[in-house]
Every structure is written in structure tokens, then in C-alpha cells.
Amino acid sequence: MGEHDGHRDRLRKRFLEQGMDVLQDDQVLELLLFYALPRRDTNDLARKLLKHFGSIAAVLEAPLQELKTVGGIGESAAVLLHLITPLARRYLLSRVSPGVVLTSTQACGEYLLPYFFGATEELVYLLCLDGRCRVLACRLLQRGGINSASFSLRKVAEVAISSHASSVVLAHNHTSGVALPSQADLETTRMVRSTLLPLDISLADHIIVADNDFVSMAESGYLHTL
């Protein structure tokens, strides 16, 4: 066994015995890259990635083509790195319990956060609840933001009706990292509430997500001013 193989085995053993918390960021990436580049020294590549992107988060959220601009990162390594964030999102969503009862703003926000995990584009979801605040469905309305021209009030109504919802929570994310509602967000919220009112479906809240935080328009008092 060569020195290169011995180093890999030691790093792998350290992870298995002590967990990821004992590893530095470059060692985490190095360990991951073992499985895409079995015959290369991945330590230098891991350091190059961190230098280029600045953090593990930025590496794992980077577009596929930008990953491949880093010398030594080919298709297999880029795909492996690009897979991690959507895989983590799928893991989080698999833990979301259908039929759970959400009786508070905090519970609704925490339920919705996994739907936006790692998102690099704006997404709009409609969380549908029955009369006991039990989750009936959480449907993606569109990609591209709540203020885009493609946002459909008709689709909001169709999803709410088909789910037999008594109330709904509208949710979207701000990729800017700032969760405060814009004037356009307020106007869209008003229109959604007006659309649902004749259907006897209430808009319980509009939650705006940014990074791993959220703002409730109901709790913040915005809904009462519309």
C-alpha cells in the first residue's frame, strides 16, 4: 500500500470512528472526492475548490459548469458535488410527515423550510390545511418567484380546491437572503386572499423564506393591513 492509499484509509477511518465534526472543511471535500476520483490525490483539489468558491456551502451550491472550471474537476467529480445539496433536500423532505397538525406560525415555518433548502431560484408553494390545521398537501405552484408574470391566481385556487383545503399558507423564498416582504409581495398576497375568499378558503399566512429563516406576514401584522 502506498503513502497515498494509506492517507485515504486513515482519513476514512477517522471519519467512521469520530464523525465529520473532527474534520476540517478541506478534509470533508477530500473524503467526498475519493469516490469520484479513486486514483488521484484529492487533497489539493479540495483546497482549490475552497479557495475558488470560499466555503463548503458555496462549493455544494455551485452550478455544474462552474465546478468544472476548477482544474482537476471533471464531469464525475462535478456531478458528485452537485448532487449533495438536492440529496440533502430530498432527505429533509422525506422526514416531513404528511397529515401533521400545524397549530402555530412557528410550526408552519419549520414545516416549510425543507422545501426551500439549497434553492438557488425562487420557488412558490401552497400549503393546504383542513379545518383542524392538518396538512393535506404542499404543492409547488411555480419556479421563478411570486412576483413574476407567470404567477397564476387560477392555479392557487385549483390547488386549494383539489386538496379540499379549509385554509392555505402561501410560501416563497427570497434568494437575496432578506426575508422581509416587498411591496409586490404584499400586493400578490392581497390578490390571493381576494381570490380564495369567495371559495370559503382562508389565507392563513404568507411565509417568506430566506436562507434558513422565515418571516410570517400574519405574525408580523402585514396581513391585517391588506
Side-chain angles (χ1 to χ4, degrees):
M1 179 185 293
E3 180 179 347
H4 177 60
D5 292 331
H7 170 71
R8 286 192 170 209
D9 286 343
R10 287 191 295 273
L11 185 57
R12 188 182 296 111
K13 183 178 180 181
R14 189 179 180 202
F15 163 65
L16 292 174
E17 292 180 350
Q18 301 178 54
M20 190 171 288
D21 289 347
V22 303
L23 303 181
Q24 300 297 317
D25 285 353
D26 61 313
Q27 293 175 316
V28 172
L29 287 176
E30 180 187 2
L31 180 62
L32 181 62
L33 289 169
F34 286 173
Y35 300 97
L37 303 166
R39 287 177 292 278
R40 287 202 55 175
D41 180 356
T42 58
N43 179 267
D44 182 56
L45 281 178
R47 292 176 184 274
K48 286 169 68 175
L49 284 165
L50 287 173
K51 183 177 181 180
H52 181 88
F53 292 103
S55 68
I56 272 196
V59 171
L60 298 182
E61 293 171 3
L64 191 67
Q65 292 305 316
E66 190 173 349
L67 287 169
K68 291 163 68 174
T69 65
V70 177
I73 299 296
E75 181 77 15
S76 295
V79 169
L80 178 63
L81 292 168
H82 195 61
L83 176 67
I84 301 304
T85 298
L87 178 62
R89 179 176 179 271
R90 181 67 63 89
Y91 162 74
L92 291 172
L93 286 174
S94 74
R95 300 185 68 192
V96 172
S97 303
V100 67
V101 176
L102 305 176
T103 56
S104 68
T105 297
Q106 186 67 25
C108 285
E110 290 177 356
Y111 183 92
L112 286 161
L113 279 178
Y115 287 89
F116 300 97
F117 178 82
T120 56
E121 62 181 331
E122 291 194 6
L123 306 171
V124 185
Y125 280 91
L126 193 69
L127 176 63
C128 299
L129 308 171
D130 69 10
R132 296 184 298 151
C133 296
R134 180 171 59 95
V135 173
L136 298 171
C138 189
R139 302 279 175 81
L140 179 66
L141 292 179
Q142 74 170 38
R143 298 177 179 274
I146 201 166
N147 305 320
S148 69
S150 62
F151 183 75
S152 170
L153 292 170
R154 179 176 179 177
K155 188 170 183 180
V156 172
E158 288 175 349
V159 170
I161 292 170
S162 66
S163 300
H164 306 290
S166 295
S167 64
V168 299
V169 175
L170 191 65
H172 80 285
N173 61 320
H174 283 178
T175 55
S176 64
V178 179
L180 293 177
S182 65
Q183 189 59 45
D185 291 339
L186 296 174
E187 178 59 22
T188 302
T189 305
R190 185 193 64 76
M191 291 190 299
V192 168
R193 187 170 66 179
S194 298
T195 298
L196 295 175
L197 191 61
L199 304 174
D200 200 27
I201 300 172
S202 65
L203 177 63
D205 206 345
H206 182 175
I207 287 178
I208 302 172
V209 174
D211 294 330
N212 199 39
D213 197 10
F214 62 89
V215 166
S216 157
M217 288 179 62
E219 190 174 72
S220 302
Y222 290 105
L223 282 185
H224 302 302
T225 65
L226 298 177

